[in-house]
Amino acid sequence: MGVEAKENTQRLTVWQKAFLRDENWKKDELREAVFWLIEAFSAALGLVFGVLGLRGLPCLMAFFASAIAVPSVYCTSFLGVDEQDYGGKMEILGDSVGTGAATFVLAWLLNSLAKKETVQNMSTTGSSNNSDPLHITLVKYESGLGVPGIMPPKLSSTVEITKHPEQNAKVTKTEFIDSKPSNSQQGELADGGFSTVLAMVDDLKSLPFRPTPGGPDVFGANTVVQVRQGRNVVWGYNPGAGCAVADSPDEFHASVTDEHRTKFNDAVNKIVATSNDAFI
């Protein structure tokens, strides 16, 4: 009976034994099972991080920590294997973690890029397959300098255009006195007007801009522009709180020409003028 059971065990494939406890494992078989476990886990974790939009070094640290812990738990708790019988944890892992890292990064980046491209496509159509609205926000400051983090410049006006799928765009315009709301209007913008706004957003996106918030207002318009799909920022121009032109131009500031400044002001002014149609 014992011989028969042993022969039956030997006939099991690695895939069959991977779901059974207290089986006899050869070292190469165990390493193969762990290799594919890490590959599957790496791909799944990369997809999850991409969907959630997680980025940075903490993500890589979380991967390496879990890529070592998960196989160890699998071997000891699920398979009932004593890792020391096969040379220890690192001997079983072999080069699986390195290969898994490549799979993780690939899945992570591809999913993140796919998500970013989807959001960008939605920004140019004004509609999507989900219920996330498209927001276009303009914030106008009064001319003059502020002190970042201490005394921001005074607000002049804001325009918020929100487009839900299958609905007209909603427009909210607020004017300020001493940075306090003094007048607010709400209305609806027809599809033709919203298409004009999107065309102006495309013009803005063709301009050079600093990808991170802060820095001088190189376009000299004292205006912040932000385009969001739901909570995701698709595009934006957000100078520092002072909205000041740089005293000593850096490389980015030097790349902006008078033609760029004119195009930025024309696009912003046309968005504001088109949004006013919602109040007629």
Side-chain angles (χ1 to χ4, degrees):
M1 184 69 176
V3 174
E4 185 178 337
K6 184 175 182 180
E7 290 177 352
N8 183 60
T9 300
Q10 291 175 343
R11 287 196 296 268
L12 295 177
T13 65
V14 171
W15 295 107
Q16 291 172 321
K17 293 167 66 174
F19 297 97
L20 299 175
R21 184 177 175 83
D22 296 329
E23 292 294 330
N24 293 322
W25 286 88
K26 294 180 181 179
K27 185 176 180 179
D28 290 343
E29 291 179 335
L30 184 60
R31 292 185 63 172
E32 181 181 354
V34 168
F35 173 85
W36 288 112
L37 169 68
I38 293 179
E39 283 293 298
F41 172 77
S42 301
L45 190 65
L47 290 173
V48 170
F49 281 13
V51 169
L52 296 178
L54 301 179
R55 300 177 182 178
L57 183 60
C59 293
L60 289 175
M61 295 174 63
F63 163 75
F64 282 109
S66 55
I68 294 175
V70 169
S72 181
V73 173
Y74 169 73
C75 289
T76 57
S77 299
F78 185 81
L79 295 181
V81 168
D82 186 348
E83 294 176 328
Q84 298 305 317
D85 292 342
Y86 298 89
K89 180 184 303 183
M90 301 311 297
E91 182 67 21
I92 295 174
L93 290 175
D95 57 359
S96 300
V97 175
T99 307
T103 301
F104 165 74
V105 172
L106 182 62
W108 184 20
L109 291 179
L110 288 179
N111 200 45
S112 296
L113 291 174
K115 181 180 178 182
K116 182 177 180 180
E117 183 177 354
T118 300
V119 171
Q120 289 176 333
N121 289 338
M122 290 189 292
S123 73
T124 58
T125 61
S127 62
S128 65
N129 292 326
N130 57 39
S131 58
D132 288 342
L134 181 69
H135 302 276
I136 301 171
T137 304
L138 277 69
V139 180
K140 180 76 174 179
Y141 291 95
E142 293 183 8
S143 59
L145 305 182
V147 181
I150 300 176
M151 186 182 66
K154 293 181 179 180
L155 282 173
S156 175
S157 64
T158 62
V159 175
E160 175 80 16
I161 304 173
T162 302
K163 177 71 166 67
H164 290 268
E166 310 301 329
Q167 296 181 20
N168 286 337
K170 310 288 186 183
V171 180
T172 301
K173 183 176 181 180
T174 305
E175 296 178 347
F176 294 81
I177 297 178
D178 291 331
S179 293
K180 297 179 180 179
S182 63
N183 183 40
S184 183
Q185 294 177 285
Q186 293 184 329
E188 290 190 359
L189 193 62
D191 287 340
F194 186 69
S195 297
T196 300
V197 171
L198 287 179
M200 293 302 98
V201 170
D202 285 339
D203 282 351
L204 291 172
K205 290 167 67 175
S206 69
L207 298 171
F209 77 103
R210 198 184 301 275
T212 55
D217 180 14
V218 296
F219 295 113
N222 288 2
T223 303
V224 171
V225 180
Q226 187 181 79
V227 182
R228 292 181 292 117
Q229 186 79 46
R231 295 183 178 180
N232 296 312
V233 177
V234 178
W235 187 87
Y237 172 68
N238 187 5
C243 288
V245 175
D247 293 330
S248 55
D250 58 12
E251 181 179 350
F252 167 65
H253 182 253
S255 69
V256 177
T257 65
D258 288 340
E259 182 180 352
H260 291 144
R261 295 184 180 92
T262 299
K263 189 174 183 180
F264 180 89
N265 280 277
D266 287 347
V268 168
N269 291 335
K270 192 163 186 178
I271 291 175
V272 173
T274 303
S275 67
N276 288 335
D277 292 343
F279 312 122
I280 298 176

